[in-house]
């Protein structure tokens, strides 16, 4: 593939300047500090935390606070909040600003999970533009009040939406307009409906339509695309055909943080650097060590079972390796499994404690 002209570029959201336009999306159960650190090391210019409940944050949940921390080596990141109540969202935003150095607040108006939707949060907000407007307005009010009190620069508030509730209720335009009218600095569109969940095909044409709409009415706003991005070529195609300012990898990055490096290379040189099996295993081990630092060995080992399996897809004898990995209970067991398969695991392949040598 020839060098893709002008598709890779910096992005600005309000006062926030990002060095590139290849992002890591918020992924529930995955986007913790360990994974975000690894992805940042491979070139993700911006990353998002897992969804953080505004209600839980107000209740002072220690687990919720842990979700919001900046990852080791992370360049720029956003804390993503969800909730149905504007006043509670305002309070939650202030807590985020007090307890983190996040570069952005993102409002989740796209999650299709029933337990989130039934509260009036997530993708329920896509069909309630007035409530979404109020939530974004309240969040920005919290940012302004905090910045004035502590003499800090205001960080942007952004929103992630879906195309609508179902095929008969396509409301992305109304939702995006409400968010941008309220002052959101950017909107990310995952062009599937709530009913689709993660099934079917994402309709990238809707992203293109949102870009055209925003350019006319909100020219300073950023429009980002998400959905069905599983390769560097997918990212290049979305940027080229929709005109969106940035793309977000979600499922395409699971077990494959190399996709950021490869996409950057494709967009700037027209070529992709292959990833060896040994690099996949080494990187998965780095992620385990980072997760171990954060959660402790027992919890990290249980969590890494699925992640090791994701990393080993496509490698030689990967299926046999996964049969053993899903039973691993400790670092020693995982090390033994890898070494028996012929992979060398350094004593400390992620450098100084808690740091990612890829950054």
């Amino acid at each position: 593939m020839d060098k893709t002209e002008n598709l890779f570029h910096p992005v600005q959201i309000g006062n926030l300047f990002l060095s590139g336009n290849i992002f890591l999306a918020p992924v529930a159960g995955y986007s913790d500090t360990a994974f975000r650190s690894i992805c940042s090391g491979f070139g993700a210019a911006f990353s998002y935390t897992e969804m953080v409940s505004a209600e839980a944050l107000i209740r002072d949940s220690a687990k919720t606070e842990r979700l919001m921390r900046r990852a080791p080596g992370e360049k720029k990141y956003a804390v993503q909040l969800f909730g149905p109540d504007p006043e509670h969202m305002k309070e939650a935003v202030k807590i985020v600003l007090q307890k983190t150095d996040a570069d952005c607040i993102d409002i989740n108006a796209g999650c299709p999970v029933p337990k989130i939707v039934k509260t009036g949060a997530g993708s329920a907000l896509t069909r309630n533009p007035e409530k979404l407007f109020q939530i974004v307005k309240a969040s920005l009010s919290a940012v302004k009040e905090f910045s004035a009190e502590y003499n800090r620069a205001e960080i942007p508030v952004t929103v992630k939406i879906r195309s609508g509730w179902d095929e008969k209720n396509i409301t992305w335009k109304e939702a995006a307009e409400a968010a941008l009218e309220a002052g959101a600095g950017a909107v990310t569109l995952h062009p599937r409906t709530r009913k689709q969940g993660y099934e079917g095909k994402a309709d990238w044409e809707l992203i293109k339509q949102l870009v055209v709409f925003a350019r006319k009415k909100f020219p300073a706003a950023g429009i980002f695309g998400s959905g069905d991005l599983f390769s560097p070529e997918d990212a290049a195609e979305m940027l080229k055909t929709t005109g969106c300012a940035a793309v977000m990898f979600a499922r395409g990055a699971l077990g494959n943080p190399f996709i950021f490096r490869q996409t950057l290379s494709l967009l700037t040189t027209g070529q992709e650097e292959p990833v060896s099996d040994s690099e996949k295993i080494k990187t998965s081990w780095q992620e385990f060590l980072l997760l171990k630092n954060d959660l402790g060995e027992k919890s990290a080992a249980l969590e890494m079972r699925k992640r090791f399996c994701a990393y080993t897809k496509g490698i030689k004898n990967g299926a046999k390796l996964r049969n053993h990995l899903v039973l691993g209970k400790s670092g020693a067991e995982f090390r033994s499994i890898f070494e028996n398969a012929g992979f060398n695991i350094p004593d400390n392949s992620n450098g100084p404690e808690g740091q990612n040598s890829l950054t």
Side-chain angles (χ1 to χ4, degrees), residues 7-35:
L7 293 184
F8 179 76
H9 52 74
V11 173
Q12 187 163 357
I13 312 171
N15 295 324
L16 175 60
F17 181 83
L18 304 173
S19 61
N21 59 343
I22 308 168
F23 302 167
L24 170 66
V27 183
Y30 245 100
S31 300
D32 51 31
T33 56
F35 186 60

PDB file of all heavy atoms in Angstrom, residues 7-35:
ATOM      1  N   LEU A   7      -3.581  11.347   6.332  1.00  0.00           N
ATOM      2  CA  LEU A   7      -4.528  10.663   7.210  1.00  0.00           C
ATOM      3  C   LEU A   7      -4.045  10.630   8.651  1.00  0.00           C
ATOM      4  O   LEU A   7      -4.853  10.593   9.573  1.00  0.00           O
ATOM      5  CB  LEU A   7      -4.796   9.236   6.709  1.00  0.00           C
ATOM      6  CG  LEU A   7      -5.538   9.128   5.376  1.00  0.00           C
ATOM      7  CD1 LEU A   7      -5.812   7.666   5.045  1.00  0.00           C
ATOM      8  CD2 LEU A   7      -6.836   9.939   5.388  1.00  0.00           C
ATOM      9  N   PHE A   8      -2.728  10.625   8.847  1.00  0.00           N
ATOM     10  CA  PHE A   8      -2.203  10.690  10.210  1.00  0.00           C
ATOM     11  C   PHE A   8      -1.837  12.132  10.532  1.00  0.00           C
ATOM     12  O   PHE A   8      -1.092  12.781   9.801  1.00  0.00           O
ATOM     13  CB  PHE A   8      -0.965   9.809  10.375  1.00  0.00           C
ATOM     14  CG  PHE A   8      -0.387   9.875  11.766  1.00  0.00           C
ATOM     15  CD1 PHE A   8      -1.004   9.213  12.812  1.00  0.00           C
ATOM     16  CD2 PHE A   8       0.761  10.617  12.018  1.00  0.00           C
ATOM     17  CE1 PHE A   8      -0.489   9.289  14.095  1.00  0.00           C
ATOM     18  CE2 PHE A   8       1.287  10.689  13.306  1.00  0.00           C
ATOM     19  CZ  PHE A   8       0.654  10.030  14.349  1.00  0.00           C
ATOM     20  N   HIS A   9      -2.377  12.648  11.624  1.00  0.00           N
ATOM     21  CA  HIS A   9      -2.142  14.047  11.967  1.00  0.00           C
ATOM     22  C   HIS A   9      -2.483  14.288  13.440  1.00  0.00           C
ATOM     23  O   HIS A   9      -3.165  13.470  14.072  1.00  0.00           O
ATOM     24  CB  HIS A   9      -3.007  14.959  11.090  1.00  0.00           C
ATOM     25  CG  HIS A   9      -4.470  14.588  11.100  1.00  0.00           C
ATOM     26  ND1 HIS A   9      -5.297  14.847  12.163  1.00  0.00           N
ATOM     27  CD2 HIS A   9      -5.237  13.973  10.168  1.00  0.00           C
ATOM     28  CE1 HIS A   9      -6.515  14.399  11.901  1.00  0.00           C
ATOM     29  NE2 HIS A   9      -6.504  13.871  10.698  1.00  0.00           N
ATOM     30  N   PRO A  10      -2.029  15.409  13.998  1.00  0.00           N
ATOM     31  CA  PRO A  10      -2.397  15.758  15.379  1.00  0.00           C
ATOM     32  C   PRO A  10      -3.889  16.076  15.469  1.00  0.00           C
ATOM     33  O   PRO A  10      -4.556  16.343  14.470  1.00  0.00           O
ATOM     34  CB  PRO A  10      -1.549  17.000  15.675  1.00  0.00           C
ATOM     35  CG  PRO A  10      -0.482  17.013  14.636  1.00  0.00           C
ATOM     36  CD  PRO A  10      -1.086  16.375  13.425  1.00  0.00           C
ATOM     37  N   VAL A  11      -4.390  16.059  16.690  1.00  0.00           N
ATOM     38  CA  VAL A  11      -5.795  16.372  16.953  1.00  0.00           C
ATOM     39  C   VAL A  11      -5.867  17.323  18.135  1.00  0.00           C
ATOM     40  O   VAL A  11      -5.134  17.164  19.118  1.00  0.00           O
ATOM     41  CB  VAL A  11      -6.604  15.092  17.274  1.00  0.00           C
ATOM     42  CG1 VAL A  11      -8.022  15.441  17.711  1.00  0.00           C
ATOM     43  CG2 VAL A  11      -6.632  14.164  16.064  1.00  0.00           C
ATOM     44  N   GLN A  12      -6.739  18.315  18.036  1.00  0.00           N
ATOM     45  CA  GLN A  12      -6.945  19.232  19.154  1.00  0.00           C
ATOM     46  C   GLN A  12      -8.407  19.179  19.581  1.00  0.00           C
ATOM     47  O   GLN A  12      -9.327  19.262  18.768  1.00  0.00           O
ATOM     48  CB  GLN A  12      -6.558  20.664  18.773  1.00  0.00           C
ATOM     49  CG  GLN A  12      -6.591  21.620  19.967  1.00  0.00           C
ATOM     50  CD  GLN A  12      -5.826  22.907  19.715  1.00  0.00           C
ATOM     51  OE1 GLN A  12      -5.211  23.074  18.665  1.00  0.00           O
ATOM     52  NE2 GLN A  12      -5.862  23.815  20.677  1.00  0.00           N
ATOM     53  N   ILE A  13      -8.614  19.021  20.902  1.00  0.00           N
ATOM     54  CA  ILE A  13      -9.951  19.042  21.490  1.00  0.00           C
ATOM     55  C   ILE A  13      -9.946  20.150  22.544  1.00  0.00           C
ATOM     56  O   ILE A  13      -9.415  19.974  23.633  1.00  0.00           O
ATOM     57  CB  ILE A  13     -10.315  17.708  22.163  1.00  0.00           C
ATOM     58  CG1 ILE A  13     -10.007  16.517  21.262  1.00  0.00           C
ATOM     59  CG2 ILE A  13     -11.787  17.706  22.579  1.00  0.00           C
ATOM     60  CD1 ILE A  13     -10.139  15.176  21.963  1.00  0.00           C
ATOM     61  N   GLY A  14     -10.493  21.286  22.215  1.00  0.00           N
ATOM     62  CA  GLY A  14     -10.431  22.402  23.147  1.00  0.00           C
ATOM     63  C   GLY A  14      -8.991  22.768  23.446  1.00  0.00           C
ATOM     64  O   GLY A  14      -8.199  23.045  22.538  1.00  0.00           O
ATOM     65  N   ASN A  15      -8.613  22.746  24.726  1.00  0.00           N
ATOM     66  CA  ASN A  15      -7.240  23.043  25.130  1.00  0.00           C
ATOM     67  C   ASN A  15      -6.313  21.835  25.055  1.00  0.00           C
ATOM     68  O   ASN A  15      -5.122  21.956  25.340  1.00  0.00           O
ATOM     69  CB  ASN A  15      -7.225  23.566  26.577  1.00  0.00           C
ATOM     70  CG  ASN A  15      -7.941  24.890  26.721  1.00  0.00           C
ATOM     71  OD1 ASN A  15      -7.884  25.725  25.820  1.00  0.00           O
ATOM     72  ND2 ASN A  15      -8.624  25.095  27.842  1.00  0.00           N
ATOM     73  N   LEU A  16      -6.854  20.692  24.690  1.00  0.00           N
ATOM     74  CA  LEU A  16      -6.074  19.462  24.683  1.00  0.00           C
ATOM     75  C   LEU A  16      -5.479  19.196  23.302  1.00  0.00           C
ATOM     76  O   LEU A  16      -6.199  19.087  22.308  1.00  0.00           O
ATOM     77  CB  LEU A  16      -6.962  18.285  25.094  1.00  0.00           C
ATOM     78  CG  LEU A  16      -6.342  16.881  25.029  1.00  0.00           C
ATOM     79  CD1 LEU A  16      -5.121  16.775  25.937  1.00  0.00           C
ATOM     80  CD2 LEU A  16      -7.389  15.837  25.393  1.00  0.00           C
ATOM     81  N   PHE A  17      -4.152  19.073  23.250  1.00  0.00           N
ATOM     82  CA  PHE A  17      -3.454  18.782  21.997  1.00  0.00           C
ATOM     83  C   PHE A  17      -2.955  17.343  22.036  1.00  0.00           C
ATOM     84  O   PHE A  17      -2.252  16.944  22.971  1.00  0.00           O
ATOM     85  CB  PHE A  17      -2.274  19.730  21.794  1.00  0.00           C
ATOM     86  CG  PHE A  17      -1.522  19.489  20.509  1.00  0.00           C
ATOM     87  CD1 PHE A  17      -1.975  20.037  19.311  1.00  0.00           C
ATOM     88  CD2 PHE A  17      -0.377  18.710  20.489  1.00  0.00           C
ATOM     89  CE1 PHE A  17      -1.293  19.806  18.118  1.00  0.00           C
ATOM     90  CE2 PHE A  17       0.310  18.479  19.309  1.00  0.00           C
ATOM     91  CZ  PHE A  17      -0.151  19.030  18.120  1.00  0.00           C
ATOM     92  N   LEU A  18      -3.300  16.567  21.022  1.00  0.00           N
ATOM     93  CA  LEU A  18      -2.893  15.175  20.921  1.00  0.00           C
ATOM     94  C   LEU A  18      -1.951  15.013  19.733  1.00  0.00           C
ATOM     95  O   LEU A  18      -2.191  15.570  18.661  1.00  0.00           O
ATOM     96  CB  LEU A  18      -4.119  14.276  20.737  1.00  0.00           C
ATOM     97  CG  LEU A  18      -5.192  14.409  21.825  1.00  0.00           C
ATOM     98  CD1 LEU A  18      -6.431  13.600  21.450  1.00  0.00           C
ATOM     99  CD2 LEU A  18      -4.653  13.970  23.178  1.00  0.00           C
ATOM    100  N   SER A  19      -0.909  14.238  19.925  1.00  0.00           N
ATOM    101  CA  SER A  19       0.140  14.121  18.897  1.00  0.00           C
ATOM    102  C   SER A  19      -0.286  13.308  17.688  1.00  0.00           C
ATOM    103  O   SER A  19       0.349  13.361  16.638  1.00  0.00           O
ATOM    104  CB  SER A  19       1.393  13.487  19.512  1.00  0.00           C
ATOM    105  OG  SER A  19       1.103  12.176  19.993  1.00  0.00           O
ATOM    106  N   GLY A  20      -1.352  12.524  17.817  1.00  0.00           N
ATOM    107  CA  GLY A  20      -1.798  11.701  16.699  1.00  0.00           C
ATOM    108  C   GLY A  20      -3.283  11.434  16.779  1.00  0.00           C
ATOM    109  O   GLY A  20      -3.967  11.878  17.704  1.00  0.00           O
ATOM    110  N   ASN A  21      -3.798  10.685  15.828  1.00  0.00           N
ATOM    111  CA  ASN A  21      -5.240  10.455  15.737  1.00  0.00           C
ATOM    112  C   ASN A  21      -5.604   8.976  15.773  1.00  0.00           C
ATOM    113  O   ASN A  21      -6.608   8.546  15.216  1.00  0.00           O
ATOM    114  CB  ASN A  21      -5.812  11.106  14.477  1.00  0.00           C
ATOM    115  CG  ASN A  21      -5.173  10.592  13.193  1.00  0.00           C
ATOM    116  OD1 ASN A  21      -4.105   9.984  13.207  1.00  0.00           O
ATOM    117  ND2 ASN A  21      -5.825  10.848  12.066  1.00  0.00           N
ATOM    118  N   ILE A  22      -4.774   8.184  16.439  1.00  0.00           N
ATOM    119  CA  ILE A  22      -5.039   6.762  16.628  1.00  0.00           C
ATOM    120  C   ILE A  22      -5.242   6.523  18.115  1.00  0.00           C
ATOM    121  O   ILE A  22      -4.299   6.632  18.908  1.00  0.00           O
ATOM    122  CB  ILE A  22      -3.887   5.895  16.092  1.00  0.00           C
ATOM    123  CG1 ILE A  22      -3.545   6.288  14.654  1.00  0.00           C
ATOM    124  CG2 ILE A  22      -4.243   4.420  16.171  1.00  0.00           C
ATOM    125  CD1 ILE A  22      -2.248   5.689  14.153  1.00  0.00           C
ATOM    126  N   PHE A  23      -6.477   6.204  18.509  1.00  0.00           N
ATOM    127  CA  PHE A  23      -6.857   6.148  19.919  1.00  0.00           C
ATOM    128  C   PHE A  23      -7.210   4.722  20.350  1.00  0.00           C
ATOM    129  O   PHE A  23      -7.601   3.887  19.537  1.00  0.00           O
ATOM    130  CB  PHE A  23      -8.087   7.020  20.191  1.00  0.00           C
ATOM    131  CG  PHE A  23      -7.950   8.482  19.834  1.00  0.00           C
ATOM    132  CD1 PHE A  23      -9.080   9.287  19.782  1.00  0.00           C
ATOM    133  CD2 PHE A  23      -6.723   9.060  19.549  1.00  0.00           C
ATOM    134  CE1 PHE A  23      -8.988  10.634  19.467  1.00  0.00           C
ATOM    135  CE2 PHE A  23      -6.600  10.404  19.226  1.00  0.00           C
ATOM    136  CZ  PHE A  23      -7.760  11.190  19.186  1.00  0.00           C
ATOM    137  N   LEU A  24      -7.111   4.503  21.661  1.00  0.00           N
ATOM    138  CA  LEU A  24      -7.633   3.287  22.281  1.00  0.00           C
ATOM    139  C   LEU A  24      -8.976   3.619  22.904  1.00  0.00           C
ATOM    140  O   LEU A  24      -9.081   4.489  23.769  1.00  0.00           O
ATOM    141  CB  LEU A  24      -6.677   2.760  23.358  1.00  0.00           C
ATOM    142  CG  LEU A  24      -7.236   1.621  24.226  1.00  0.00           C
ATOM    143  CD1 LEU A  24      -7.464   0.365  23.383  1.00  0.00           C
ATOM    144  CD2 LEU A  24      -6.290   1.323  25.392  1.00  0.00           C
ATOM    145  N   ALA A  25     -10.016   2.922  22.475  1.00  0.00           N
ATOM    146  CA  ALA A  25     -11.358   3.156  22.992  1.00  0.00           C
ATOM    147  C   ALA A  25     -11.500   2.616  24.412  1.00  0.00           C
ATOM    148  O   ALA A  25     -10.716   1.765  24.843  1.00  0.00           O
ATOM    149  CB  ALA A  25     -12.384   2.477  22.082  1.00  0.00           C
ATOM    150  N   PRO A  26     -12.506   3.075  25.141  1.00  0.00           N
ATOM    151  CA  PRO A  26     -12.805   2.463  26.443  1.00  0.00           C
ATOM    152  C   PRO A  26     -13.377   1.068  26.217  1.00  0.00           C
ATOM    153  O   PRO A  26     -14.325   0.900  25.449  1.00  0.00           O
ATOM    154  CB  PRO A  26     -13.851   3.410  27.042  1.00  0.00           C
ATOM    155  CG  PRO A  26     -14.485   4.079  25.868  1.00  0.00           C
ATOM    156  CD  PRO A  26     -13.417   4.196  24.829  1.00  0.00           C
ATOM    157  N   VAL A  27     -12.785   0.069  26.853  1.00  0.00           N
ATOM    158  CA  VAL A  27     -13.248  -1.316  26.712  1.00  0.00           C
ATOM    159  C   VAL A  27     -13.471  -1.888  28.102  1.00  0.00           C
ATOM    160  O   VAL A  27     -12.510  -2.067  28.866  1.00  0.00           O
ATOM    161  CB  VAL A  27     -12.225  -2.174  25.942  1.00  0.00           C
ATOM    162  CG1 VAL A  27     -12.778  -3.589  25.738  1.00  0.00           C
ATOM    163  CG2 VAL A  27     -11.876  -1.546  24.602  1.00  0.00           C
ATOM    164  N   ALA A  28     -14.719  -2.156  28.430  1.00  0.00           N
ATOM    165  CA  ALA A  28     -15.045  -2.672  29.766  1.00  0.00           C
ATOM    166  C   ALA A  28     -14.314  -3.983  30.020  1.00  0.00           C
ATOM    167  O   ALA A  28     -14.291  -4.875  29.171  1.00  0.00           O
ATOM    168  CB  ALA A  28     -16.552  -2.872  29.882  1.00  0.00           C
ATOM    169  N   GLY A  29     -13.685  -4.083  31.194  1.00  0.00           N
ATOM    170  CA  GLY A  29     -12.966  -5.293  31.545  1.00  0.00           C
ATOM    171  C   GLY A  29     -11.597  -5.419  30.924  1.00  0.00           C
ATOM    172  O   GLY A  29     -10.914  -6.429  31.097  1.00  0.00           O
ATOM    173  N   TYR A  30     -11.150  -4.389  30.224  1.00  0.00           N
ATOM    174  CA  TYR A  30      -9.852  -4.453  29.545  1.00  0.00           C
ATOM    175  C   TYR A  30      -9.016  -3.192  29.719  1.00  0.00           C
ATOM    176  O   TYR A  30      -7.794  -3.259  29.865  1.00  0.00           O
ATOM    177  CB  TYR A  30     -10.059  -4.704  28.045  1.00  0.00           C
ATOM    178  CG  TYR A  30      -9.519  -6.031  27.569  1.00  0.00           C
ATOM    179  CD1 TYR A  30     -10.364  -7.105  27.376  1.00  0.00           C
ATOM    180  CD2 TYR A  30      -8.164  -6.218  27.311  1.00  0.00           C
ATOM    181  CE1 TYR A  30      -9.881  -8.333  26.930  1.00  0.00           C
ATOM    182  CE2 TYR A  30      -7.665  -7.427  26.866  1.00  0.00           C
ATOM    183  CZ  TYR A  30      -8.536  -8.493  26.680  1.00  0.00           C
ATOM    184  OH  TYR A  30      -8.055  -9.693  26.245  1.00  0.00           O
ATOM    185  N   SER A  31      -9.675  -2.022  29.659  1.00  0.00           N
ATOM    186  CA  SER A  31      -8.916  -0.766  29.592  1.00  0.00           C
ATOM    187  C   SER A  31      -8.409  -0.300  30.949  1.00  0.00           C
ATOM    188  O   SER A  31      -8.601   0.843  31.350  1.00  0.00           O
ATOM    189  CB  SER A  31      -9.776   0.332  28.958  1.00  0.00           C
ATOM    190  OG  SER A  31     -10.153  -0.020  27.657  1.00  0.00           O
ATOM    191  N   ASP A  32      -7.731  -1.206  31.662  1.00  0.00           N
ATOM    192  CA  ASP A  32      -7.125  -0.833  32.936  1.00  0.00           C
ATOM    193  C   ASP A  32      -5.754  -0.220  32.675  1.00  0.00           C
ATOM    194  O   ASP A  32      -5.323  -0.075  31.529  1.00  0.00           O
ATOM    195  CB  ASP A  32      -7.035  -2.045  33.868  1.00  0.00           C
ATOM    196  CG  ASP A  32      -6.393  -3.254  33.196  1.00  0.00           C
ATOM    197  OD1 ASP A  32      -5.525  -3.069  32.316  1.00  0.00           O
ATOM    198  OD2 ASP A  32      -6.760  -4.380  33.544  1.00  0.00           O
ATOM    199  N   THR A  33      -5.069   0.148  33.745  1.00  0.00           N
ATOM    200  CA  THR A  33      -3.789   0.841  33.566  1.00  0.00           C
ATOM    201  C   THR A  33      -2.754  -0.030  32.867  1.00  0.00           C
ATOM    202  O   THR A  33      -1.930   0.474  32.099  1.00  0.00           O
ATOM    203  CB  THR A  33      -3.231   1.318  34.914  1.00  0.00           C
ATOM    204  OG1 THR A  33      -3.121   0.199  35.813  1.00  0.00           O
ATOM    205  CG2 THR A  33      -4.131   2.378  35.533  1.00  0.00           C
ATOM    206  N   ALA A  34      -2.789  -1.347  33.102  1.00  0.00           N
ATOM    207  CA  ALA A  34      -1.806  -2.229  32.473  1.00  0.00           C
ATOM    208  C   ALA A  34      -1.972  -2.229  30.955  1.00  0.00           C
ATOM    209  O   ALA A  34      -1.000  -2.020  30.210  1.00  0.00           O
ATOM    210  CB  ALA A  34      -1.958  -3.647  33.026  1.00  0.00           C
ATOM    211  N   PHE A  35      -3.185  -2.449  30.499  1.00  0.00           N
ATOM    212  CA  PHE A  35      -3.427  -2.516  29.055  1.00  0.00           C
ATOM    213  C   PHE A  35      -3.213  -1.156  28.397  1.00  0.00           C
ATOM    214  O   PHE A  35      -2.627  -1.067  27.315  1.00  0.00           O
ATOM    215  CB  PHE A  35      -4.849  -3.018  28.790  1.00  0.00           C
ATOM    216  CG  PHE A  35      -5.149  -3.246  27.333  1.00  0.00           C
ATOM    217  CD1 PHE A  35      -4.413  -4.148  26.587  1.00  0.00           C
ATOM    218  CD2 PHE A  35      -6.175  -2.562  26.707  1.00  0.00           C
ATOM    219  CE1 PHE A  35      -4.688  -4.371  25.242  1.00  0.00           C
ATOM    220  CE2 PHE A  35      -6.467  -2.772  25.368  1.00  0.00           C
ATOM    221  CZ  PHE A  35      -5.713  -3.682  24.630  1.00  0.00           C
TER     222      PHE A  35
END
